[in-house]
Amino acid sequence: GAVVSQHPSRVICKSGTSVKIECRSLDFQATTMFWYRQFPKQSLMLMATSNEGSKATYEQGVEKDKFLINHASLTLSTLTVTSAHPEDSSFYICSALTGVSYEQYFGPGTRLTVT
Amino acid sequence: AQSVSQHNHHVILSEAASLELGCNYSYGGTVNLFWYVQYPGQHLQLLLKYFSGDPLVKGIKGFEAEFIKSKFSFNLRKPSVQWSDTAEYFCAVKGNNDMRFGAGTRLTVKP
């Protein structure tokens, strides 16, 4: 089946620094990738939709200048949390949409802790 | 805007009990419907999906779901749960190009 990876799986950073999270579709091309945020014991909240070669579409309330998304190729999307603050600590999950079956496959997530 | 409602926040069952988790959605167009499961410490896994055709969908691990268009519902069922079914279950609706998730239902199965 389709596999989506995320790197890193866990990251701890200091307040004010920036962190980049990578999302890769390993065995298929994904024209569309999604970034979600999951708070403890809560559901996934869609942050943005990323289309290869174009600007990401952000959900209401998500700061585009804080959460920079780049979808440079059909297999890679990156999320950069800029000037991170403790309230940005969360579990970030990406998913990739296959063009064949239009199913979404999820990555394992990245746990970000900002100290 | 589309939305997904899962009415049960936490369900506790004994092994062999039957399970039904509710999911209702609000969306005006054609939708694809999904149930995902998240076992403790693991990432989301697809249980089953409905795109079209037979509204009764069978998924992995003995789960099934029924799409009732008139009720905008896609409830998840399993005739006899096992301790290993303890997990968080998410209903999701995909319309156009994005996917919305319900708040999730935590299922605890007591041995």
Side-chain angles (χ1 to χ4, degrees):
Chain A
V3 177
V4 176
S5 70
Q6 279 184 244
H7 177 81
S9 58
R10 290 176 181 270
V11 58
I12 301 173
C13 70
K14 292 185 177 180
S15 187
T17 61
S18 295
V19 174
K20 180 186 283 188
I21 302 170
E22 293 185 348
C23 176
R24 293 181 185 272
S25 56
L26 297 185
D27 51 2
F28 66 98
Q29 293 184 330
T31 54
T32 304
M33 290 184 171
F34 304 93
W35 286 96
Y36 295 86
R37 186 171 177 177
Q38 186 178 28
F39 292 98
K41 300 183 180 180
Q42 294 188 33
S43 185
L44 283 76
M45 287 177 44
L46 179 65
M47 296 175 67
T49 301
S50 166
N51 291 296
E52 186 266 337
S54 64
K55 291 182 178 180
T57 303
Y58 290 81
E59 294 299 301
Q60 192 173 10
V62 178
E63 299 176 59
K64 66 175 78 173
D65 294 330
K66 181 168 185 62
F67 298 99
L68 301 179
I69 291 173
N70 183 282
H71 194 157
S73 75
L74 288 172
T75 59
L76 173 65
S77 176
T78 61
L79 168 68
T80 301
V81 183
T82 62
S83 187
H85 291 285
E87 56 264 33
D88 298 324
S89 298
S90 192
F91 196 56
Y92 292 87
I93 302 172
C94 76
S95 70
L97 187 69
T98 68
V100 177
S101 64
Y102 294 100
E103 291 187 35
Q104 275 190 330
Y105 292 90
F106 288 83
T110 297
R111 184 163 301 285
L112 169 64
T113 303
V114 184
T115 60
Chain B
Q2 61 192 78
S3 64
V4 184
S5 299
Q6 289 182 245
H7 312 296
N8 312 105
H9 179 64
H10 190 187
V11 173
I12 302 172
L13 296 173
S14 298
E15 276 195 312
S18 64
L19 169 72
E20 180 159 2
L21 301 181
C23 173
N24 287 90
Y25 66 93
S26 171
Y27 188 69
T30 302
V31 295
N32 302 138
L33 301 160
F34 305 81
W35 274 98
Y36 288 88
V37 60
Q38 188 173 31
Y39 297 103
Q42 297 188 28
H43 62 280
L44 284 170
Q45 299 175 40
L46 180 66
L47 268 182
L48 48 79
K49 62 183 185 288
Y50 172 80
F51 280 15
S52 64
D54 189 344
L56 184 60
V57 180
K58 295 192 182 299
I60 61 171
K61 304 185 180 185
F63 286 92
E64 65 177 33
E66 185 175 11
F67 170 51
I68 303 179
K69 189 175 181 179
S70 60
K71 295 184 178 181
F72 296 89
S73 69
F74 190 57
N75 293 354
L76 180 71
R77 299 194 293 250
K78 185 170 183 178
S80 175
V81 295
Q82 301 172 313
W83 176 79
S84 57
D85 293 324
T86 294
E88 189 90 18
Y89 292 81
F90 295 96
C91 179
V93 176
K94 180 176 174 299
N96 293 330
N97 214 24
D98 64 0
M99 181 178 283
R100 305 286 169 165
F101 285 80
T105 297
R106 182 174 300 277
L107 172 65
T108 301
V109 180
K110 295 183 175 179

